[in-house]
Amino acid sequence: MILINLLPHREAARKRRIELFNVSLGLAFLVGGLLAGLVFLWYQAQITGQQEKNQVLQSEITKFDVQIKDIAGLEAQIAALKARQQAVEDLQADRNLPVHLLTQLVQQLPDGVFIVNMRQENQSVTLQGVAQSNERVSELLRNLGNNTPWFSKPELVEIVAGTIALTPREQRRVANFTIRVALVRASEAVKVAAPGNVAPTTSVQK
């Protein structure tokens, strides 16, 4: 007996393939969604953890900033105290500066040089005087610059030829000069005058 299938088997097979494809597509979307959700949750956890670490770091940075400001304030106070201490020490050491000024000036004056006026402003001393010649003025400059630790940077401001009357009939040519020299602080002069730092001060017999 011959059996003949009159049902549309091709259409039924196509329908089953379509249904299988739809089911596979749905499963793929479901699996993809789950994977995407898991990846999103993982990244979200990583971001949250990093944000928490950043907050901890920011909190520590804030603490360090406060400590740095405190240290900077202490350093400023220490520097101010050192400056005050140095100022007090300079004042105490400079009490005898006028004595050293006059003593050293007398020792460094060459023969034939006379000081007629002396003015001090802070550490600068201006000397006005009369010398027998320009060479005497040059010698005074060398003495002030090389032979004593109490003076530094001697500078000839002015030198003018002039005359003085020895007797009513006799006059002599002289050099009127102005010299500016820096007076060294006592603490620095003591360091310079230490053995091996400078040659001994030479005295000039008047």
Side-chain angles (χ1 to χ4, degrees):
M1 180 177 179
I2 300 173
L3 299 178
I4 299 174
N5 186 5
L6 300 179
L7 295 176
H9 62 279
R10 293 180 178 176
E11 293 181 0
R14 184 182 302 110
K15 184 177 181 180
R16 286 194 299 272
R17 287 196 299 272
I18 292 173
E19 290 177 352
L20 182 61
F21 175 76
N22 290 335
V23 171
S24 300
L25 186 62
L27 290 175
F29 275 117
L30 180 61
V31 173
L34 290 174
L35 290 176
L38 291 175
V39 171
F40 174 78
L41 292 176
W42 183 80
Y43 275 113
Q44 192 66 29
Q46 293 295 319
I47 292 172
T48 302
Q50 188 62 45
Q51 288 177 345
E52 292 177 354
K53 292 179 181 178
N54 291 343
Q55 289 178 355
V56 173
L57 290 175
Q58 188 63 41
S59 176
E60 294 298 325
I61 290 173
T62 302
K63 293 179 181 178
F64 281 124
D65 288 339
V66 173
Q67 294 177 358
I68 290 172
K69 289 180 180 179
D70 293 340
I71 293 173
L74 291 176
E75 290 179 347
Q77 293 178 5
I78 292 173
L81 290 175
K82 286 183 178 179
R84 294 177 183 175
Q85 180 182 0
Q86 186 62 44
V88 172
E89 291 178 355
D90 289 339
L91 288 174
Q92 291 178 346
D94 292 345
R95 288 182 302 177
N96 296 326
L97 271 183
V99 176
H100 293 294
L101 169 61
L102 296 175
T103 302
Q104 293 297 318
L105 189 58
V106 169
Q107 291 179 355
Q108 304 309 321
L109 278 180
D111 291 335
V113 178
F114 305 91
I115 301 298
V116 297
N117 187 23
M118 180 173 60
R119 184 176 66 255
Q120 179 183 357
E121 295 180 3
N122 296 326
Q123 299 303 114
S124 177
V125 178
T126 302
L127 305 173
Q128 292 178 331
V130 180
Q132 292 179 353
S133 63
N134 294 344
E135 288 75 12
R136 299 293 187 181
V137 178
S138 299
E139 185 178 354
L140 175 60
L141 287 171
R142 287 194 300 270
N143 290 346
L144 294 177
N146 301 327
N147 293 346
T148 173
W150 293 94
F151 296 111
S152 67
K153 301 178 182 178
E155 174 188 2
L156 180 62
V157 178
E158 182 183 34
I159 184 168
V160 179
T163 58
I164 59 173
L166 299 179
T167 65
R169 294 184 179 182
E170 183 182 0
Q171 292 185 345
R172 177 175 293 183
R173 294 181 61 84
V174 294
N176 298 308
F177 65 88
T178 301
I179 293 177
R180 184 181 297 113
V181 63
L183 184 60
V184 179
R185 290 191 176 277
S187 56
E188 296 298 325
V190 170
K191 294 178 182 178
V192 174
N197 291 341
V198 70
T201 300
T202 58
S203 300
V204 178
Q205 298 295 330
K206 299 297 183 289

